[in-house]
Amino acid sequence: MSGWGHGRPRYTLSRRAAYSTLSAQALAAWVGERYACTGPVTCTLLRRGLNDTYRVTGLAGRDRAVLRVYRSGWRSPGEVEWELGFLRHLAGAGCGVSGPLPQLGGAYWEVLEAAEGPRVAALFGWVEGRWLEAVPEDAAAYGETAARLHMAADAYCAAGRFTLDLDHLLTQPLARIRPLLADAPEVWAELEAAAHRTHAAITAIAPELEWGPCHGDLHEGNARLGEDGTVRLFDFDCGGPGWRAYDLAVYGWSLFSNSGTSSETAREAWRAFLAAYQGVRPLGAADLQALPLFVTARAIWFMGLTAGRAHEYGTEVPDLGFFQYGLKFMGDWEAWPEA
């Protein structure tokens, strides 16, 4: 039996992949060459998401670590440098964060060549603990941690990172969404109108809002609660200079958009989170006013993020129902009494 393509001409693609999954064995060999190790290095793919996440063992002085391989074209080396510098700053200020680990030569990241193009790789400390639950006790611990994060972040002033402004949160996401709703003009019109309302309302109070380095993805999935009661944060990939109210609103969006959490349970957790935050770092009146607006902005940003990956996962992932669900959430959110 002849093999595939036997006797047939072959066409070489100019770009061979939109997104590839790198070999865990090859990455283990790379870690073994670059980092201090005490034994055989193992590398296991944990999650394929915005970036690829691997568990690594065999390093000197620690049981486990996390290897992140950023997707090609997602973050520039300069943007990665900002993120890793931010983490080193926060760790130095005593914040519980998953900081980057240095290579033997002192570098914190390296560019790997993949089929789709260059991808940055960096190794991080492993975070122990359990997932946070939507209960007042966990939410309060998270709110206090977020406040201390912002306090420590105030002194970080490095350049080279994108900003979490309205272009990033609303304008760019809309541009990614629009082609996918070409056959659903009513849905697009409703979504565009919601974005414009939100844009105008935030613009009106923007001069009064607090601005500074943010985590950018401060939902409960990016934190763990240790046995000592300490919340430790990781995955600062979406962080950058931005409005602090947006950073907090990400947690609210996650709570209220979770179909497995009742509205009353979400409200209790949200109030506990904000009360604990303000017990450490009070919010101004404008920031409190902006919180629900940024919940809507986050919902639109998330839809745009998913739409932007359609070329990798297919247009059936962000299908019409996905956008209709997002619109329903925003409509329900705007109609709810004050959370």
Side-chain angles (χ1 to χ4, degrees), residues 132-324:
L132 276 73
E133 299 177 7
V135 296
E137 296 78 12
D138 286 10
Y142 202 21
E144 181 177 339
T145 298
R148 299 196 184 283
L149 167 72
H150 287 167
M151 290 175 66
D154 285 338
Y156 189 67
C157 55
R161 187 71 164 182
F162 55 86
T163 55
L164 307 179
D165 55 14
L166 291 177
D167 181 64
H168 180 86
L169 299 176
L170 294 173
T171 305
Q172 293 179 31
L174 280 181
R176 299 186 192 103
I177 294 168
R178 185 168 190 170
L180 300 184
L181 292 177
D183 295 329
E186 300 85 358
V187 176
W188 165 251
E190 189 177 349
L191 178 58
E192 185 181 36
H196 287 172
R197 286 195 306 271
T198 305
H199 193 293
I202 294 173
T203 299
I205 58 174
E208 304 171 57
L209 299 179
E210 184 185 351
W211 181 275
C214 295
H215 181 285
D217 206 13
L218 206 59
H219 60 76
E220 68 279 8
N222 286 332
R224 296 290 184 272
L225 182 63
E227 293 182 357
D228 59 357
T230 300
V231 176
R232 294 176 173 82
L233 303 170
F234 55 92
D235 196 356
F236 283 65
D237 176 49
C238 292
W243 288 295
R244 293 294 175 55
Y246 169 73
D247 219 15
L248 302 180
V250 171
Y251 181 64
W253 163 81
S254 181
L255 283 173
F256 289 101
S257 64
N258 186 344
S259 59
T261 303
S262 71
S263 60
E264 187 53 40
T265 297
R267 278 187 171 87
E268 289 178 1
W270 179 231
R271 288 167 181 159
F273 175 83
L274 292 178
Y277 182 96
Q278 294 198 89
V280 176
R281 196 169 190 271
L283 290 166
D287 290 293
L288 289 169
Q289 180 185 349
L291 285 172
L293 298 172
F294 280 123
V295 169
T296 300
R298 170 67 178 199
I300 294 171
W301 174 88
F302 180 72
M303 285 188 276
L305 177 74
T306 307
R309 297 164 64 192
H311 67 288
E312 298 170 6
Y313 295 108
T315 56
E316 289 187 355
V317 176
D319 60 4
L320 180 59
F322 170 78
F323 296 110
Q324 289 172 328

Side-chain angles (χ1 to χ4, degrees), residues 2-25:
S2 61
W4 284 99
H6 180 72
R8 289 177 173 269
R10 299 191 180 192
Y11 181 82
T12 301
L13 297 172
S14 58
R15 181 171 179 174
R16 300 191 178 190
Y19 191 92
S20 66
T21 302
L22 302 187
S23 161
Q25 291 75 20

